[in-house]
Each structure stands twice: as C-alpha cells, then as structure tokens.
C-alpha cells in the first residue's frame, strides 16, 4: 500500500514525559486516520540522547553528591551518563503505551544507536565534501560554567540594569559595560558621518592605561551608533560579535582576554586569573584611583545574552569550532515557506520562520561536552603542531593548557 510515515518528535531520554508531550495525540490521530483510509501507516517512536541537556541534568545529580564532571575521565563520565539515561528513560515508553498510542514499538530508535551514529557520520562526510561544513576560529556563544559553545537558539536574552562606565581613552571618553575587557582592545571606532570625530579617523591616539601607555587607531564603521554613550566605542574583537565583524572589515588583531574558564588571560597583567566579575570590580576601582573614570551611569538598561540552561551570562568567544554554512541551505527553506509548500499552525509562525531565517548565520555544531556523538575528525599532529590547543586536568587536578606540539616535546 502507499506508505504514510511519521517520526515521533523524540522526547529527551533524561526524564519523564511532561504535559507538552500530550501533543503526540495529533500524531496518533493522523496515523490512525491514514490507516483507516487505506495507507500503510507507520509511526516511528524514539528517544533523544539530548547531548548538552542530558549532561547538564546529570551534572546537577553529581552536584548533589558533592561531585563535578571534572572529577572523571571522558570514558567514565560517558558510561555513567549512559547508565543514568538508561535508568531514567525506562519510564517514557511505559507512559506512552499507557496513553494508548499506536506507535511501532518494536522499531523504536535511540539517537545513540549505532545505526543513527553511522548515518550522522555519513551525512557529516557528505556535507564536508559538498562544502557545507568547515572548521574555523569564529566568534561563538560560550558558557564558561557549562563549558561549551552554544547555538543562538540555546541562548536567552534578558533585559537588565547594569552600570555603564565612561572611561578616559586619551582625548576621548568611551562608554562600556565591560571595562574588564579593555586589555583586548585593538581599535577605537566612530561612525563615518559623525562630524565630532571626522578629523580623528585614521589616526593613532596615545592612551594612559592601567598597565601603562598604549596606542589605538581610530577607525570609521557604520555599525557604531552615534547616540550611544559619546559616539566612540572601543573594539574588542575577541569578545563582542559586532567588534569581531568590524575586525574582519578592518583587519584588526584578535586579543583573547577571557579564557574558557571565564578568567582573564595573561595579557591582563595583574588581573590575570580573576573571574570576570572580580576583574571588573578591580579594574573599576583602579580606573577611579588613577583618575581615568569620567563617570558611571548606574541605571543603564540593556539586553544581556545568557545560557538557557544555567542562566549565567554567556561570553562571546573566539576559538576553533565546526560550522555549517547556511547561506545556500536557508534560501531553499525560504522558498518552500514563501511558496506555502508547508503550512504553519498558527499561521503567524510563517512570518516568524522567515524572520529567523533572515538573521540566521553560520551554525556552530561543536559542543565541548562528553555526552553525545563526537565529530568524526582526526588531526594529523607532530612536534610542530601549533594549531591544536588542548586543556585537561592532570592527576593532581591542576589545569594544563597549551598546544599539542608543546606537550609532545615535553614527552
């Protein structure tokens, strides 16, 4: 007979079902209706390993026992999470069956089944061959607490009131909510049509800083809002998406001032090793002591990017990740949506889908976590390998970091 198939949107394998899964009733009704109309209908059930979601849930379980993910080697942590998932996911199919759903239970699929992983690897290889997947150092959302990159859909924007600091930068006053990142500045920027600063464009200015004097070039760029602060902004390419894009347009250096643990790097001098909040307090106090703080607006309202799981502030970071090129792929999707080849219920979601596609940029698929499907890539390395950077905790729980080549040389 003519087939009709539905893939069950797989529930996460780390917990019981919730009220939202009642939407499966729609799938069940449609499957039954098609069968009554002579189709060979098939509803394929499954469960999702939900990589980051599940590891986060398991880490909360560890925390209750006074433990951390950093207490285990990779294989032990992976096996422990697998056992945790196996124990918790058993309830899901029992609940679905009690609801009387007409799914093909004998062919249920888990997204860590060998057949699924093989298909993922095959697809990844195909997309690399077709030029849709690449590895690059690009700015991504990074949660220092959870220790992983996040896609845009895994972040939450919250409106918050924070201090806006007006800092003396040579002949200019620069407004910023992040004074602790000033050690990663590589330029000052103004809007090209801002008459106040036209004479400065292209010139270098000498600036008195907390670690001595330094020079920054003044550049002109359309992304600068002349109404924000004083109309002069500092460019910190390694830690701000707009600044990163400006750095590519103006060929500016990337200076990493915050590391993957959320602490300041060695380029911050005496502030190195402090977490972001402590560093901000120290930097502000020292700027005030040196007379480099013009004023502080304590009622500045702005939007802050946070992690959708832990709720902490996300750090824009630049380090190698794997990405999917979306430009060509999303255009195909837009045509299908615009031509009403798919139907949205409610209809308003058509507009939201098109709006989301318009702003969508290359998609980061790297997650620096243990639980899930590993990216199937191996790196050829030797003592000269300076392009692969590694971190790990040694037997004394001391953080080791550096290039693979440097550790090979040390034996």
């Amino acid at each position: 007979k003519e087939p009709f198939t539905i893939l069950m949107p797989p529930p996460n394998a780390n917990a019981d079902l919730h009220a939202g899964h009642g939407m499966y009733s729609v799938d069940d009704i449609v499957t039954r209706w098609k069968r009554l109309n002579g189709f060979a209908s098939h509803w394929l059930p499954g469960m999702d390993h939900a990589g980051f979601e599940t590891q986060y849930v398991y880490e909360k379980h560890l925390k209750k026992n006074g433990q951390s993910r950093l207490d285990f080697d990779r294989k032990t942590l992976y096996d422990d999470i697998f056992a945790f998932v196996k124990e918790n996911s058993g309830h899901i199919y029992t609940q679905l069956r009690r609801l009387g759903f007409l799914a093909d239970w004998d062919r249920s699929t888990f997204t860590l089944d060998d057949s699924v992983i093989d298909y993922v690897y095959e697809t990844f290889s195909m997309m690399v061959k077709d030029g849709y997947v690449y590895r690059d150092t690009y700015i991504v959302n990074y949660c220092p607490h959870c220790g992983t990159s996040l896609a845009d859909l895994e972040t939450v924007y919250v409106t918050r009131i924070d201090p806006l600091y007006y800092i003396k930068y040579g002949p200019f006053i620069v407004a910023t909510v992040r004074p602790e990142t000033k050690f990663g500045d590589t330029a000052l920027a103004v809007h090209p049509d801002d008459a106040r600063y036209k004479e400065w464009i292209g010139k270098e200015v000498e600036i008195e800083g907390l670690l001595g004097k330094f020079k920054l070039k003044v550049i002109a760029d359309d992304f600068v809002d002349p109404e924000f602060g004083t109309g002069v902004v500092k460019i910190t390419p390694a830690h701000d998406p707009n600044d990163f894009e400006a750095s590519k347009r103006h060929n500016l250096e990337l200076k990493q001032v915050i590391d993957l643990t959320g602490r300041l790097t060695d380029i911050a001098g005496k502030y190195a090793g402090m977490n972001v909040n402590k560093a901000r307090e120290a930097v502000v106090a020292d700027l005030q002591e040196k007379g480099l703080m013009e004023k502080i607006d304590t009622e500045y309202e702005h939007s802050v990017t946070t992690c959708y799981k832990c709720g902490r502030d996300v750090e824009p970071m630049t380090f190698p990740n794997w990405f999917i090129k979306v430009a060509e792929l999303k255009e195909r999707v837009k045509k299908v949506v615009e031509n009403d080849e798919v139907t949205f219920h409610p209809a308003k979601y058509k507009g939201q889908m098109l709006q989301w596609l318009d702003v969508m940029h290359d998609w980061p698929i790297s997650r620096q976590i243990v639980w899930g499907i590993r990216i199937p890539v191996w790196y050829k390395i030797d003592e000269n390998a300076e392009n692969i950077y590694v971190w790990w905790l040694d037997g004394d729980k001391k953080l080791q970091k550096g290039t693979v080549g440097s550790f090979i040389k040390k034996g």
Side-chain angles (χ1 to χ4, degrees), residues 154-381:
E154 296 169 325
T155 62
V156 176
Y157 294 94
V158 297
T159 300
R160 197 167 74 198
I161 293 177
D162 282 319
L164 180 63
Y165 304 95
Y166 288 76
I167 304 170
K168 294 177 182 178
Y169 271 66
F172 307 114
I173 304 295
V174 172
T176 179
V177 292
R178 306 211 60 187
E180 73 281 359
T181 65
K182 69 191 308 296
F183 310 106
D185 296 345
T186 55
L188 294 172
V190 298
H191 192 278
D193 298 330
D194 194 333
R196 295 172 294 176
Y197 306 113
K198 278 205 169 186
E199 63 179 280
W200 291 99
I201 295 173
K203 295 180 180 177
E204 271 194 342
V205 295
E206 186 171 80
I207 300 165
E208 180 69 34
L210 296 178
L211 303 177
K213 293 183 178 179
F214 61 100
K215 291 183 178 181
L216 290 178
K217 186 178 180 179
V218 181
I219 63 172
D221 199 290
D222 289 334
F223 93 91
V224 178
D225 179 4
E227 302 299 319
F228 172 74
T230 62
V232 183
V233 296
K234 68 189 195 72
I235 304 295
T236 318
H239 301 287
D240 181 275
N242 290 325
D243 294 2
F244 179 80
E245 294 299 333
S247 75
K248 293 198 293 182
R249 291 191 291 270
H250 298 274
N251 196 28
L252 302 176
E253 180 187 1
L254 292 178
K255 295 171 68 175
Q256 196 85 21
V257 70
I258 301 171
D259 68 20
L260 298 182
T261 65
R263 290 174 169 78
L264 269 61
T265 63
D266 292 341
I267 68 169
K270 68 177 184 178
Y271 308 97
M274 295 183 182
N275 67 39
V276 166
N277 291 330
K278 290 290 185 185
R280 186 176 302 170
E281 292 175 11
V283 167
V284 168
D286 289 349
L287 287 170
Q288 290 174 316
E289 185 179 333
K290 293 193 72 170
L292 297 174
M293 184 72 73
E294 179 73 10
K295 65 176 182 177
I296 302 175
D297 176 2
T298 57
E299 296 298 318
Y300 177 62
E301 185 176 279
H302 66 138
S303 180
V304 180
T305 310
T306 62
C307 173
Y308 83 114
K309 291 308 295 181
C310 72
R312 292 173 172 83
D313 288 4
V314 163
E315 289 291 347
M317 288 281 196
T318 48
F319 63 98
N321 275 254
W322 285 90
F323 295 87
I324 295 176
K325 289 182 182 177
V326 301
E328 183 183 330
L329 297 173
K330 73 178 185 179
E331 287 305 314
R332 300 184 199 176
V333 180
K334 284 180 69 174
K335 287 179 182 177
V336 170
V337 175
E338 288 169 344
N339 295 335
D340 293 323
E341 294 178 46
V342 291
T343 306
F344 288 83
H345 301 279
K348 68 177 182 179
Y349 287 109
K350 175 182 176 180
Q352 288 190 18
M353 181 67 166
L354 291 172
Q355 189 178 37
W356 179 65
L357 288 167
D358 282 338
V359 300
M360 185 183 185
H361 52 79
D362 286 2
W363 198 259
I365 56 174
S366 297
R367 298 292 179 271
Q368 292 72 33
I369 58 175
V370 161
W371 178 244
I373 302 175
R374 304 181 84 173
I375 289 179
V377 173
W378 286 259
Y379 302 92
K380 186 175 181 179
I381 58 170

